[in-house]
Amino acid sequence: MTYDFSFVLSYWDVLLKGLLVTIAFTSLAGLVGALCGFGMCLARVSGNAGVRWFAAAYVNLFRGTPLLIQLFWIYFCLPVLVGTDLPPYVCVFVSLVLYTTAITSETFRGAIKSIPPEQHDACVALNLPWSSKIIFVIFPQTLLRATPSLLSNMVSLFKESALISSVGVADLMFAGQSLSNATARPVEFLTTVAVIYFVVAFPLTHFASRLEKRYLARMA
């Protein structure tokens, strides 16, 4: 059997649309999930034991179960519980945000723990309100320290988002599977999809690694 990868070029627009859907879900869910993750991080370091317990249970649940199970539960079970149908893109977005919240909260928690105690003492000495301390002192330093790891989290989310094709969302993986089935050319299309994922993810992974090394060198 011969393989003709030039055949894929006839369907480049379909693959491009799928890639744009993948990037859109990854970017939006990553941004919202990171913001929620910072809030969950604050809950994990809260002085209230009940809040800490809830946050820890949430993080352990979503980090300890496969993303595919979470996606299927939200897609198949949540509509039954709420008594109404939910569009696939809503289920996908919710599941990605919930998962990203748990992942990034641990990234932020590690970054917050690395902030010198003197910073907290200075806030107390200046009698800063809690909200001002978080917004103007803690968050900027936490974001700076967490940026390399957050980029790695987003790259992982980009790759794991291929699972959303399982509920019918027309992302890159869905486009590749559909085209391979319709044309009976799985080698050409699925290989091309894998290459596209690599071309997007590898430079970002390399950039995150260099950024982390540069940050560690500055902190040394």
Side-chain angles (χ1 to χ4, degrees):
M1 182 177 181
T2 60
Y3 305 112
D4 183 12
F5 281 87
S6 64
F7 186 79
V8 176
L9 296 177
S10 302
Y11 300 91
W12 69 270
D13 56 331
V14 179
L15 295 174
L16 178 60
K17 289 179 182 178
L19 176 61
L20 293 177
V21 170
T22 297
I23 292 175
F25 271 108
T26 302
S27 302
L28 189 56
L31 177 61
V32 175
L35 292 174
C36 294
F38 183 72
M40 189 63 64
C41 164
L42 295 179
R44 292 215 65 182
V45 297
S46 170
N48 187 300
V51 172
R52 289 199 310 273
W53 182 90
F54 170 80
Y58 174 92
V59 171
N60 290 330
L61 173 64
F62 282 92
R63 292 185 68 204
T65 54
L67 176 58
L68 184 60
I69 295 297
Q70 300 169 22
L71 178 60
F72 278 178
W73 194 93
I74 292 174
Y75 182 73
F76 292 109
C77 302
L78 186 59
V80 176
L81 296 178
V82 300
T84 184
D85 292 333
L86 297 174
Y89 66 87
V90 172
C91 297
V92 164
F93 179 72
V94 170
S95 64
L96 291 180
V97 167
L98 292 176
Y99 176 77
T100 306
T101 296
I103 298 301
T104 56
S105 70
E106 290 299 279
T107 299
F108 281 124
R109 189 161 73 102
I112 282 184
K113 286 185 175 181
S114 70
I115 296 177
E118 292 80 5
Q119 298 289 327
H120 299 278
D121 296 338
C123 293
V124 174
L126 294 173
N127 197 27
L128 284 180
W130 183 84
S131 58
S132 298
K133 171 186 173 181
I134 295 298
I135 295 173
F136 298 111
V137 179
I138 301 301
F139 180 71
Q141 296 187 63
T142 301
L143 183 61
L144 177 64
R145 288 168 164 78
T147 295
S149 296
L150 287 176
L151 287 176
S152 297
N153 291 340
M154 294 306 103
V155 172
S156 297
L157 181 64
F158 171 75
K159 292 183 290 185
E160 291 171 355
S161 68
L163 296 173
I164 70 178
S165 63
S166 60
V167 295
V169 174
D171 69 331
L172 177 59
M173 190 64 212
F174 183 89
Q177 286 178 320
S178 299
L179 290 173
S180 69
N181 293 335
T183 61
R185 291 180 178 269
V187 174
E188 289 90 335
F189 281 104
L190 295 182
T191 301
T192 300
V193 167
V195 170
I196 292 173
Y197 274 109
F198 178 80
V199 168
V200 174
F202 180 75
L204 293 175
T205 302
H206 184 64
F207 175 73
S209 178
R210 290 188 60 184
L211 190 63
E212 184 174 15
K213 290 179 180 177
R214 184 177 300 180
Y215 171 76
L216 291 176
R218 288 182 59 186
M219 296 298 292

Short mmCIF file of all heavy atoms in Angstrom, two decimals, residues 167-196:
data_model
loop_
_atom_site.label_atom_id
_atom_site.label_comp_id
_atom_site.label_asym_id
_atom_site.label_seq_id
_atom_site.Cartn_x
_atom_site.Cartn_y
_atom_site.Cartn_z
N VAL A 167 -16.79 13.58 22.62
CA VAL A 167 -18.19 13.98 22.82
C VAL A 167 -18.69 14.80 21.62
O VAL A 167 -19.70 15.49 21.72
CB VAL A 167 -18.37 14.78 24.13
CG1 VAL A 167 -18.08 13.90 25.32
CG2 VAL A 167 -17.50 16.03 24.15
N GLY A 168 -17.99 14.72 20.51
CA GLY A 168 -18.50 15.31 19.28
C GLY A 168 -18.13 16.74 19.01
O GLY A 168 -18.68 17.35 18.08
N VAL A 169 -17.21 17.31 19.78
CA VAL A 169 -16.76 18.67 19.51
C VAL A 169 -15.73 18.61 18.38
O VAL A 169 -14.78 17.82 18.43
CB VAL A 169 -16.14 19.32 20.76
CG1 VAL A 169 -15.54 20.68 20.44
CG2 VAL A 169 -17.22 19.46 21.83
N ALA A 170 -15.92 19.46 17.36
CA ALA A 170 -15.11 19.38 16.14
C ALA A 170 -13.75 20.05 16.30
O ALA A 170 -13.44 21.06 15.67
CB ALA A 170 -15.87 20.00 14.97
N ASP A 171 -12.92 19.47 17.17
CA ASP A 171 -11.57 19.99 17.36
C ASP A 171 -10.63 19.34 16.34
O ASP A 171 -11.07 18.67 15.40
CB ASP A 171 -11.10 19.74 18.79
CG ASP A 171 -10.87 18.27 19.06
OD1 ASP A 171 -11.54 17.43 18.42
OD2 ASP A 171 -10.01 17.95 19.90
N LEU A 172 -9.33 19.53 16.53
CA LEU A 172 -8.35 18.98 15.59
C LEU A 172 -8.41 17.46 15.54
O LEU A 172 -8.36 16.86 14.46
CB LEU A 172 -6.95 19.46 15.99
CG LEU A 172 -5.79 18.92 15.16
CD1 LEU A 172 -5.94 19.27 13.69
CD2 LEU A 172 -4.46 19.45 15.70
N MET A 173 -8.50 16.82 16.70
CA MET A 173 -8.54 15.37 16.74
C MET A 173 -9.81 14.84 16.07
O MET A 173 -9.76 13.84 15.33
CB MET A 173 -8.49 14.89 18.20
CG MET A 173 -8.30 13.39 18.35
SD MET A 173 -6.69 12.88 17.70
CE MET A 173 -7.06 11.24 17.12
N PHE A 174 -10.93 15.49 16.29
CA PHE A 174 -12.19 15.08 15.68
C PHE A 174 -12.11 15.20 14.16
O PHE A 174 -12.56 14.32 13.43
CB PHE A 174 -13.33 15.96 16.21
CG PHE A 174 -14.69 15.58 15.70
CD1 PHE A 174 -15.46 14.65 16.37
CD2 PHE A 174 -15.21 16.16 14.55
CE1 PHE A 174 -16.72 14.29 15.91
CE2 PHE A 174 -16.46 15.82 14.07
CZ PHE A 174 -17.22 14.88 14.75
N ALA A 175 -11.52 16.31 13.69
CA ALA A 175 -11.36 16.51 12.25
C ALA A 175 -10.48 15.42 11.65
O ALA A 175 -10.79 14.85 10.59
CB ALA A 175 -10.77 17.89 11.98
N GLY A 176 -9.36 15.10 12.31
CA GLY A 176 -8.48 14.07 11.81
C GLY A 176 -9.13 12.70 11.77
O GLY A 176 -8.99 11.95 10.78
N GLN A 177 -9.87 12.35 12.82
CA GLN A 177 -10.56 11.06 12.85
C GLN A 177 -11.63 10.97 11.76
O GLN A 177 -11.75 9.95 11.07
CB GLN A 177 -11.20 10.84 14.22
CG GLN A 177 -10.22 10.50 15.33
CD GLN A 177 -10.91 10.35 16.67
OE1 GLN A 177 -11.82 11.11 17.00
NE2 GLN A 177 -10.48 9.36 17.43
N SER A 178 -12.39 12.05 11.61
CA SER A 178 -13.47 12.06 10.62
C SER A 178 -12.92 11.92 9.21
O SER A 178 -13.44 11.16 8.39
CB SER A 178 -14.28 13.35 10.74
OG SER A 178 -14.87 13.46 12.02
N LEU A 179 -11.84 12.65 8.93
CA LEU A 179 -11.25 12.59 7.59
C LEU A 179 -10.61 11.23 7.32
O LEU A 179 -10.70 10.70 6.20
CB LEU A 179 -10.21 13.70 7.43
CG LEU A 179 -10.77 15.12 7.36
CD1 LEU A 179 -9.64 16.15 7.38
CD2 LEU A 179 -11.62 15.31 6.11
N SER A 180 -9.97 10.66 8.33
CA SER A 180 -9.34 9.35 8.13
C SER A 180 -10.39 8.28 7.87
O SER A 180 -10.18 7.37 7.07
CB SER A 180 -8.49 8.98 9.34
OG SER A 180 -9.29 8.72 10.49
N ASN A 181 -11.55 8.39 8.54
CA ASN A 181 -12.63 7.42 8.32
C ASN A 181 -13.29 7.62 6.97
O ASN A 181 -13.63 6.64 6.28
CB ASN A 181 -13.68 7.54 9.43
CG ASN A 181 -13.16 7.11 10.79
OD1 ASN A 181 -12.23 6.32 10.88
ND2 ASN A 181 -13.75 7.64 11.85
N ALA A 182 -13.47 8.89 6.59
CA ALA A 182 -14.17 9.18 5.33
C ALA A 182 -13.34 8.83 4.11
O ALA A 182 -13.88 8.46 3.07
CB ALA A 182 -14.57 10.65 5.29
N THR A 183 -12.03 8.95 4.22
CA THR A 183 -11.15 8.73 3.07
C THR A 183 -10.40 7.40 3.13
O THR A 183 -9.70 7.05 2.18
CB THR A 183 -10.11 9.86 2.97
OG1 THR A 183 -9.30 9.87 4.17
CG2 THR A 183 -10.80 11.21 2.82
N ALA A 184 -10.54 6.70 4.24
CA ALA A 184 -9.81 5.43 4.44
C ALA A 184 -8.30 5.64 4.34
O ALA A 184 -7.57 4.79 3.83
CB ALA A 184 -10.27 4.38 3.44
N ARG A 185 -7.84 6.78 4.86
CA ARG A 185 -6.40 7.08 4.88
C ARG A 185 -5.99 7.47 6.31
O ARG A 185 -5.61 8.61 6.57
CB ARG A 185 -6.07 8.21 3.91
CG ARG A 185 -6.22 7.82 2.45
CD ARG A 185 -5.90 8.97 1.53
NE ARG A 185 -5.99 8.59 0.13
CZ ARG A 185 -4.99 8.11 -0.60
NH1 ARG A 185 -3.79 7.94 -0.05
NH2 ARG A 185 -5.16 7.80 -1.87
N PRO A 186 -6.06 6.54 7.25
CA PRO A 186 -5.72 6.87 8.64
C PRO A 186 -4.27 7.24 8.83
O PRO A 186 -3.94 8.08 9.67
CB PRO A 186 -6.09 5.61 9.40
CG PRO A 186 -6.00 4.51 8.38
CD PRO A 186 -6.45 5.12 7.09
N VAL A 187 -3.36 6.60 8.09
CA VAL A 187 -1.93 6.88 8.27
C VAL A 187 -1.64 8.34 7.95
O VAL A 187 -0.96 9.05 8.73
CB VAL A 187 -1.08 5.95 7.38
CG1 VAL A 187 0.39 6.36 7.47
CG2 VAL A 187 -1.25 4.51 7.81
N GLU A 188 -2.12 8.82 6.82
CA GLU A 188 -1.84 10.19 6.40
C GLU A 188 -2.44 11.21 7.35
O GLU A 188 -1.75 12.13 7.81
CB GLU A 188 -2.35 10.43 4.98
CG GLU A 188 -1.57 9.73 3.89
CD GLU A 188 -2.12 8.34 3.58
OE1 GLU A 188 -2.75 7.75 4.48
OE2 GLU A 188 -1.90 7.87 2.45
N PHE A 189 -3.72 11.04 7.67
CA PHE A 189 -4.40 12.07 8.45
C PHE A 189 -4.02 12.04 9.92
O PHE A 189 -3.77 13.09 10.53
CB PHE A 189 -5.92 11.94 8.28
CG PHE A 189 -6.44 12.53 7.01
CD1 PHE A 189 -6.81 11.72 5.95
CD2 PHE A 189 -6.51 13.90 6.85
CE1 PHE A 189 -7.27 12.27 4.76
CE2 PHE A 189 -6.97 14.47 5.67
CZ PHE A 189 -7.35 13.64 4.62
N LEU A 190 -3.96 10.88 10.52
CA LEU A 190 -3.63 10.82 11.94
C LEU A 190 -2.16 11.18 12.18
O LEU A 190 -1.83 11.79 13.21
CB LEU A 190 -3.93 9.43 12.50
CG LEU A 190 -5.42 9.05 12.51
CD1 LEU A 190 -5.63 7.68 13.12
CD2 LEU A 190 -6.25 10.10 13.25
N THR A 191 -1.29 10.85 11.25
CA THR A 191 0.10 11.28 11.36
C THR A 191 0.21 12.79 11.25
O THR A 191 0.96 13.44 12.00
CB THR A 191 0.96 10.63 10.26
OG1 THR A 191 0.89 9.20 10.39
CG2 THR A 191 2.42 11.06 10.38
N THR A 192 -0.55 13.36 10.32
CA THR A 192 -0.55 14.82 10.16
C THR A 192 -1.06 15.51 11.42
O THR A 192 -0.50 16.52 11.85
CB THR A 192 -1.42 15.23 8.96
OG1 THR A 192 -0.89 14.63 7.77
CG2 THR A 192 -1.44 16.73 8.80
N VAL A 193 -2.11 14.97 12.02
CA VAL A 193 -2.66 15.54 13.26
C VAL A 193 -1.60 15.49 14.37
O VAL A 193 -1.42 16.46 15.11
CB VAL A 193 -3.94 14.79 13.68
CG1 VAL A 193 -4.33 15.16 15.11
CG2 VAL A 193 -5.07 15.12 12.73
N ALA A 194 -0.91 14.36 14.47
CA ALA A 194 0.15 14.24 15.49
C ALA A 194 1.25 15.27 15.26
O ALA A 194 1.75 15.88 16.21
CB ALA A 194 0.73 12.82 15.46
N VAL A 195 1.62 15.48 14.01
CA VAL A 195 2.65 16.47 13.69
C VAL A 195 2.18 17.87 14.05
O VAL A 195 2.95 18.68 14.59
CB VAL A 195 3.02 16.39 12.18
CG1 VAL A 195 3.90 17.57 11.79
CG2 VAL A 195 3.72 15.08 11.89
N ILE A 196 0.93 18.18 13.79
CA ILE A 196 0.39 19.51 14.12
C ILE A 196 0.44 19.74 15.63
O ILE A 196 0.86 20.80 16.10
CB ILE A 196 -1.05 19.66 13.60
CG1 ILE A 196 -1.05 19.68 12.07
CG2 ILE A 196 -1.67 20.96 14.13
CD1 ILE A 196 -2.44 19.66 11.46
#
